[in-house]
Amino acid sequence: MAGTEPIRRIARADGAVRYRLVVDVGRRADGRRDQRTSTHSTFKEARAELSRIRHEVNRATYVPPIAQTLEQYLDGWLPGAQRRVRPSTFRGYVDALKPVREQLGRHRLQQLSKSNIDTLVDNLLTSGRRIGGKGRPLNPRTVTLTLTILRMALEDALREGRVARNVAKLVDAPKRVHRDMKTWTADEAKAFLVVALGDRLAPAWLLSLYGMRRGEVLGLRWSDVDLEQRTVTISQTRASVGGTLVVTSEPKTARGRRQLPLDAGVCAALKSLLARQAAEKRFAGGAYRTKGLVIVNELGEPVRPEWYSDRFARLARTAGVPAIRLHNARHTAATLLHLRGVPLAVISAWLGHADPAFTLRTYAKSQADMLREASVVLGDAIGSGSGIEAVGVTGSG
């Protein structure tokens, strides 16, 4: 072939024949030609590669080959992501990408396929993070989070010209199983408080039933409490990340940072706890660790979020009320407010939501007894019951 041809036939000393492809893909920063060279076993393979490269160059979708692995790329991607999100969110990124690193980290970034990621998703749903074993399956929500973070990382790789397409976008997220939010009725909430108000951390359980998030209750400082004006200001949260690290941070949104009025009962419980902590500090002496937080143990140390949730469950069992998650105490508050006619915008502000529609969609659930009451009201309004018999309507025909 002529010297100007992009494909050259090369005869090796052992008699084998190879075909070398040299193709222009553009210009370098210094103005010189940017060329790609590859060697192929057959002329057909070389010709196909030439067609592919020229097609991608013409469409401005050509991506130069690199030897970088997925794990190496993620090592470089995470520091940039860290600057964009809150510390607790970033820690969630790291945890979500652990199984990706373990199962796909050695794959070349540019050779990653939809099939690879489908296999990862299936493994997480069946065996969890244990490769080739029978680990505990992860729930669809956790797997979806992992897939979402991987999509974000590969989308940046696409924008940077490292990959030709984001293959993670081709993978369907697992279907989430819808679970009805269990909430307490007003009577059940009162039964819980009969027991909880005898607990050392009585104000905490009141605040949880007032709709504050776990992280908001555990992040509350005495400096955020105004017992004279009867208010609390929610200005920071404490959250457990990855099961080991507890991170203190500001609320996620401006609406999350809010001031709430307190009734006399909550104020009395807070005053009692403040006096009790002063006595505990005197008794512990130098062993007391003053952190300024409201919810601490007898030595002034912050309690772990997991312990707080477990303690809530134990108190609920003692009270004999239906078992619900701690976060469902927040749902209970929203539901009771909704069922008693509090405007949706007020409920949204109370809970610290940015969007009232989210409040209605997520929290405000009608309870069975209220639905029965509604049926009675409607029946009275439209004259059902004996009125049906009066017009000769029967159950047949």
Side-chain angles (χ1 to χ4, degrees), residues 123-305:
N123 287 345
L124 296 180
L125 290 172
T126 56
S127 302
R129 292 187 172 92
R130 183 174 298 178
I131 303 175
K134 294 183 178 180
R136 182 179 179 181
L138 300 183
N139 65 55
R141 181 177 181 179
T142 301
V143 178
T144 297
L145 176 61
T146 291
L147 181 59
T148 299
I149 303 306
L150 179 58
R151 285 173 177 169
M152 290 170 55
L154 294 183
E155 192 64 21
D156 282 349
L158 177 63
R159 284 194 288 267
E160 294 166 6
R162 296 173 185 264
V163 295
R165 62 177 178 173
N166 183 348
V167 294
K169 280 189 171 181
L170 305 177
V171 178
D172 293 327
K175 292 183 179 180
R176 293 176 59 179
V177 179
H178 176 71
R179 296 179 180 177
D180 290 334
M181 293 180 182
K182 295 181 180 180
T183 59
W184 284 333
T185 64
D187 288 341
E188 288 167 344
K190 290 175 183 176
F192 171 79
L193 286 179
V194 168
V195 173
L197 289 179
D199 187 72
R200 177 180 169 277
L201 296 180
W205 312 122
L206 280 168
L207 293 173
S208 287
L209 278 174
Y210 269 50
M212 286 176 59
R213 300 176 178 91
R214 180 178 72 174
E216 293 171 346
V217 174
L218 299 185
L220 191 66
R221 296 165 293 195
W222 284 113
S223 59
D224 300 321
V225 178
D226 189 333
L227 292 174
E228 291 186 4
Q229 297 298 320
R230 293 185 176 181
T231 64
V232 293
T233 299
I234 298 170
S235 58
Q236 69 172 21
T237 65
R238 292 185 67 248
S240 179
V241 180
T244 55
L245 182 67
V246 178
V247 177
T248 300
S249 58
E250 294 182 353
K252 290 183 179 180
T253 65
R255 289 289 295 273
R257 184 185 177 93
R258 61 202 188 279
Q259 186 179 83
L260 298 178
L262 301 175
D263 64 17
V266 179
C267 286
L270 285 166
K271 288 179 181 178
S272 177
L273 179 60
L274 185 61
R276 180 166 188 160
Q277 288 182 0
E280 291 170 345
K281 183 177 181 180
R282 289 193 299 270
F283 180 79
Y288 198 86
R289 300 289 182 263
T290 302
K291 301 290 184 180
L293 294 173
V294 174
I295 308 305
V296 294
N297 64 17
E298 292 84 346
L299 293 177
E301 299 166 334
V303 302
R304 287 196 60 82

Side-chain angles (χ1 to χ4, degrees), residues 6-7 21-23 45-55:
I7 302 176
L21 169 64
V22 181
V23 57
E45 290 177 359
R47 189 74 181 176
E49 180 67 3
L50 173 63
S51 297
R52 182 190 70 82
I53 292 176
R54 283 179 170 173
H55 177 70

Side-chain angles (χ1 to χ4, degrees), residues 208-212 328-338 347 350-351:
S208 287
L209 278 174
Y210 269 50
M212 286 176 59
N328 284 7
R330 177 171 164 84
H331 299 210
T332 296
T335 300
L336 294 178
L337 289 171
H338 174 61
I347 300 175
W350 182 273
L351 297 174

